[in-house]
Amino acid sequence: MKTIKTLLGVAVLTFSGNAFADAITYTVDNLGGNRWQYNYTVDNTGTNAQDAFAIFFELFVFENLVVESTAPDWDADVFPPDPGLPDDGIVEFYGLFPILPGESLSGWSVSFDYLLDGTPGEQFFEFFDGFTFDLISDGITERAAEVTVPEPGTLGLLGTGLLLLSAMRRRQSAYGTRSK
């Protein structure tokens, strides 16, 4: 049995290659009308240092791409969507100092015109080697989890409920509990 588990473990490691779980999360803000802005954070949960990545902006969905900010010591190039080719737009980010495994870095923002109804969503991205341009990994951006803070009324109701439960337990322990 131990041999089978060992063989399965070796097979998983052999066929999985390097573990790439790098993620790009985003928040999106409406700047007025059809003008929006993505704000990106890169989480390097993979095994390689990341020094370059590209985010794709679909043709006929996005226009007028502008890099508003980059993380410190990073730069960007913008290639707008081109209906003449036709080709999606790309914003490439590359850094002097890479994001090491286990690190997270934010500070990238891109504004754009959104040509569809509703709120812009996820996008395709690629991490690549900034020197050789070899593809390292790819994926889909994920919306950052929004932290919600309960309203004071909710906290008050919760506190009142806990006080009532505590009072009921004290009363039961003071008078004993009845058994049938």
Side-chain angles (χ1 to χ4, degrees):
M1 186 63 144
K2 187 175 180 183
T3 305
I4 293 173
K5 287 182 181 178
T6 303
L7 288 174
L8 285 173
V10 169
V12 167
L13 290 174
T14 301
F15 293 110
S16 65
N18 288 336
F20 297 114
D22 302 311
I24 298 178
T25 56
Y26 69 90
T27 60
V28 62
D29 300 316
N30 186 300
L31 302 177
N34 68 338
R35 192 80 184 153
W36 293 79
Q37 180 172 302
Y38 278 121
N39 306 296
Y40 300 105
T41 299
V42 174
D43 296 308
N44 187 349
T45 57
T47 57
N48 294 331
Q50 302 295 4
D51 64 351
F53 65 96
I55 299 179
F56 292 78
F57 291 80
E58 289 181 65
L59 180 64
F60 304 119
V61 176
F62 299 96
E63 284 183 346
N64 302 319
L65 306 177
V66 175
V67 174
E68 299 294 340
S69 65
T70 63
D73 298 317
W74 283 69
D75 207 351
D77 287 324
V78 177
F79 305 95
D82 189 347
L85 291 178
D87 203 6
D88 290 339
I90 302 171
V91 176
E92 292 181 350
F93 297 97
Y94 42 92
L96 182 59
F97 299 105
I99 306 167
L100 300 176
E103 290 184 340
S104 180
L105 188 61
S106 59
W108 296 279
S109 297
V110 178
S111 65
F112 54 90
D113 292 336
Y114 187 60
L115 306 178
L116 302 178
D117 291 332
T119 303
E122 58 192 26
Q123 299 169 275
F124 181 74
F125 68 83
E126 293 179 343
F127 284 101
F128 59 93
D129 184 293
F131 297 105
T132 65
F133 300 101
D134 290 336
L135 178 66
I136 295 173
S137 65
D138 58 20
I140 303 293
T141 60
E142 298 176 16
R143 188 171 194 136
E146 295 180 13
V147 178
T148 58
V149 178
E151 295 181 21
T154 304
L155 292 175
L157 185 60
L158 178 63
T160 302
L162 291 173
L163 286 173
L164 288 173
L165 282 173
S166 176
M168 287 175 51
R169 283 189 180 225
R170 283 186 183 162
R171 184 174 181 189
Q172 284 179 349
S173 65
Y175 292 108
T177 55
R178 290 192 230 176
S179 302
K180 290 188 178 185

